[in-house]
Amino acid sequence: MKIEHIAIWVKDLEKSRTFYQKYFGAVSNEKYHNPVKNFQSYFLSFENGCRLEIMTKPDIKESENSYESQQYGIIHLAFSVDNKQKVDELTETLRKDGYKVAGEPRTTGDGYYESVILDPENNIIEIVSQ
């Protein structure tokens, strides 16, 4: 068994799609649009077969979605890269491009070398290497 996909609501579908394509190598399908439900989405596919569905709909309620004030439920997505140097390089690229680095690169207690950044919608993204 494997995780087939994870879905997240976003306000700016195109900005989110571009972010995951540019920094994490996602390949997008064509936009799905259901005009009756005013729903739009993309499936973003990654090298290992896992997919991320990003969805938008105008009547979705705001959530706190804060790194500092976390809540129960899915809290982050982790992307694995080849080595520590790649963690550092991608973190710096994202910082230079204006994304918030919420956690500087470090070795965690469970053995990962990771950094934490926030995507365009403030979703928590870990960049990890073992």
Side-chain angles (χ1 to χ4, degrees), residues 68-84:
E68 292 80 20
S69 169
Q70 298 186 20
Q71 303 168 357
Y72 286 108
I74 295 173
I75 194 62
H76 69 259
L77 301 175
F79 289 90
S80 179
V81 295
D82 293 337
N83 54 51
K84 291 179 180 183

Side-chain angles (χ1 to χ4, degrees), residues 50-110:
C50 189
R51 298 187 307 160
L52 177 64
E53 182 181 13
I54 53 173
M55 312 172 301
T56 195
K57 191 175 172 188
D59 58 349
I60 298 301
K61 296 178 188 174
E62 289 281 339
S63 71
E64 190 171 326
N65 198 13
S66 167
Y67 180 69
E68 292 80 20
S69 169
Q70 298 186 20
Q71 303 168 357
Y72 286 108
I74 295 173
I75 194 62
H76 69 259
L77 301 175
F79 289 90
S80 179
V81 295
D82 293 337
N83 54 51
K84 291 179 180 183
Q85 181 179 346
K86 298 266 188 203
V87 171
D88 293 341
E89 289 171 356
L90 184 51
T91 301
E92 286 310 308
T93 298
L94 286 157
R95 184 191 323 270
K96 287 177 187 168
D97 289 352
Y99 294 96
K100 180 176 180 178
V101 177
E104 294 295 333
R106 67 185 182 96
T107 301
T108 64
D110 54 1

Side-chain angles (χ1 to χ4, degrees), residues 108-127:
T108 64
D110 54 1
Y112 285 98
Y113 184 75
E114 72 177 32
S115 69
V116 180
I117 59 100
L118 303 181
D119 80 357
E121 304 276 339
N122 287 326
N123 292 300
I124 300 166
I125 306 298
E126 292 182 353
I127 305 166

Side-chain angles (χ1 to χ4, degrees), residues 5-59:
H5 75 271
I6 296 168
I8 55 175
W9 289 111
V10 299
K11 291 183 236 174
D12 189 328
L13 196 61
E14 298 305 326
K15 189 174 186 178
S16 291
R17 179 175 76 129
T18 298
F19 173 83
Y20 289 101
Q21 287 176 312
K22 180 176 180 178
Y23 300 106
F24 298 98
V27 175
S28 177
N29 71 338
E30 294 295 317
K31 183 190 294 182
Y32 170 74
H33 180 222
N34 181 328
V36 174
K37 294 184 177 183
N38 203 9
F39 171 87
Q40 298 176 54
S41 71
Y42 286 108
F43 272 98
L44 306 176
S45 299
F46 297 92
E47 189 174 295
N48 68 352
C50 189
R51 298 187 307 160
L52 177 64
E53 182 181 13
I54 53 173
M55 312 172 301
T56 195
K57 191 175 172 188
D59 58 349

